[in-house]
Amino acid sequence: MNLPRRMRRLRLHEPLRRMLQSVSLRRGDIIVPVFVVEGENVRREVASMPGVHQMSVDVAVPWLAERANEGFGAYLAFGVIDRAKKDTEGSAALDENNVVCRLLRSVTAQKIHMAGITDLCFCEYTSHGHCGPLTADRSTVDNDRTVEQLVKQAINHARAGAAVVAPSGMMDGVVGALRKGLDSAGFTDLSILSYSVKYASAFYGPFRDAADSAPEFGDRRSYQMDPARGIDEAITEAKQDVEQGADMVMVKPAGAYLDVIRAVRGSIEVPLVAYQVSGEYAMIEAAARNGWIDRDRAILESLIAIKRAGADMIISYYAPVLARLLPN
Ligand code: PBG
């Protein structure tokens, strides 16, 4: 058959195939999440996230030092506190000696060469598990009161040495308030990575085990986005955050939202971070453990797809595996 173009020609030679790759994945693209718990010498595997552990500060710090040596440049800290310390307002989030602040200080003291990003949210600190204090009728999170509290949480993390704060509660106006609050507290160089486009997703299930942050009643649909809503909402959220001062924006989850990553990428001019969330991790792990997929290949393919869609950086639980799979 005479075909002017045979697409397979360029696929025939392995070295050529390699040269034609235009999407790359480096360790430096990956942000490493870490769940910090109270106590000492604690290293507890999360049941729904095999291979991921909750760690006390003394265990998390050397673990992060290993990641730094492997070439990973940033970590994302989540505080997991004892139930007894939770209240309706999430006040433990503002304690300067909570696990997140202790981790930040310890990483700095040990001169670990990694930027500290902190998740700004109250779901890990409130007794009801919602992302901030509730309205008087307890029907939803009180947006404006939560924003005030988030600014205080950010300043608390900034004082402990955070390089970046990442508001994840989908509260309106949070980025502008954070910029203003951080600037007036003297933290003009602290960056904001906004979880701008965050869907109310079933894929966060395992995380809520890891962070002990499942809502006690209801769900998060009155503040997180509806997966069935059109792309306009995602673009407006991202643009609005950039206008308010976000240095980077995030789309979350990643794998089921590649179209959203692509669209947001095309409409903003700051770095875009995508979050390969706990459920995405758990699905790959479960299938691999059953022998149904090739784990290493599925991990790389899932992350390459997120890069191809337009993400500059990816938050992924796979850092330790990627240290084996990717060149530094
Ligand atoms: C909120 C937060 C969540 C995740 C990151 N930050 C959970 C939620 O919105 O309920 C989920 C991350 C994951 O699933 O890996 N603090």
Side-chain angles (χ1 to χ4, degrees), residues 50-282:
V52 173
H53 297 81
Q54 296 176 325
M55 291 176 271
S56 50
V57 174
D58 58 314
V59 177
V61 171
W63 186 84
L64 284 173
E66 281 177 57
R67 305 289 84 77
N69 287 336
E70 289 163 352
F72 296 97
Y75 65 93
L76 172 60
F78 296 100
V80 190
I81 63 160
D82 292 341
R83 289 261 169 111
K85 290 196 182 160
K86 300 191 183 192
D87 58 26
T88 54
E89 301 292 296
S91 25
L94 308 182
D95 174 1
E96 63 180 23
N97 285 316
N98 68 27
V99 285
V100 171
C101 294
R102 281 193 277 129
L103 180 80
L104 289 163
R105 285 195 293 266
S106 190
V107 167
T108 311
Q110 305 283 316
K111 299 197 167 34
I112 295 171
H113 201 49
M114 268 181 129
I117 309 175
T118 59
D119 188 73
L120 287 190
C121 194
F122 285 88
C123 63
E124 293 124 52
Y125 303 92
T126 53
S127 42
H128 45 72
H130 280 286
C131 296
L134 303 174
T135 52
D137 65 2
R138 287 172 58 86
S139 64
T140 188
V141 173
D142 184 331
N143 189 89
D144 298 9
R145 215 145 60 81
T146 301
V147 169
E148 278 172 34
Q149 296 293 94
L150 287 166
V151 174
K152 293 183 202 158
Q153 187 185 27
I155 292 172
N156 190 31
H157 292 169
R159 289 196 177 121
V164 182
V165 288
S168 68
M170 292 301 285
M171 295 300 131
D172 285 323
V174 67
V175 174
L178 281 173
R179 192 65 276 160
K180 191 158 159 262
L182 287 167
D183 287 354
S184 38
F187 297 106
T188 50
D189 287 336
L190 197 117
S191 305
I192 300 171
L193 161 59
S194 179
Y195 284 69
S196 306
V197 182
K198 177 173 177 181
Y199 288 89
S201 171
F203 294 108
Y204 307 149
F207 173 94
R208 293 177 186 172
D209 291 341
D212 189 27
S213 66
E216 181 187 63
F217 60 87
D219 55 41
R220 304 208 202 287
R221 279 183 254 209
S222 66
Y223 39 105
Q224 299 180 349
M225 293 161 60
D226 182 348
R229 174 86 182 258
I231 202 76
D232 58 317
E233 185 189 30
I235 292 170
T236 306
E237 283 280 8
K239 279 192 170 164
Q240 204 168 268
D241 282 358
V242 174
E243 278 161 23
Q244 288 179 28
D247 300 285
M248 298 183 274
V249 301
M250 194 193 301
V251 173
K252 173 186 174 191
Y257 295 85
L258 298 176
D259 57 326
V260 178
I261 294 174
R262 166 61 65 198
V264 170
R265 171 69 291 160
S267 53
I268 48 140
E269 277 152 16
V270 298
L272 190 152
V273 177
Y275 198 145
Q276 183 183 50
V277 300
S278 56
E280 298 177 66
Y281 175 89

Side-chain angles (χ1 to χ4, degrees), residues 261-262 265 272-274 305-314:
I261 294 174
R262 166 61 65 198
R265 171 69 291 160
L272 190 152
V273 177
I306 297 167
K307 286 286 305 272
R308 195 182 59 236
D312 298 294
M313 282 181 271
I314 305 173

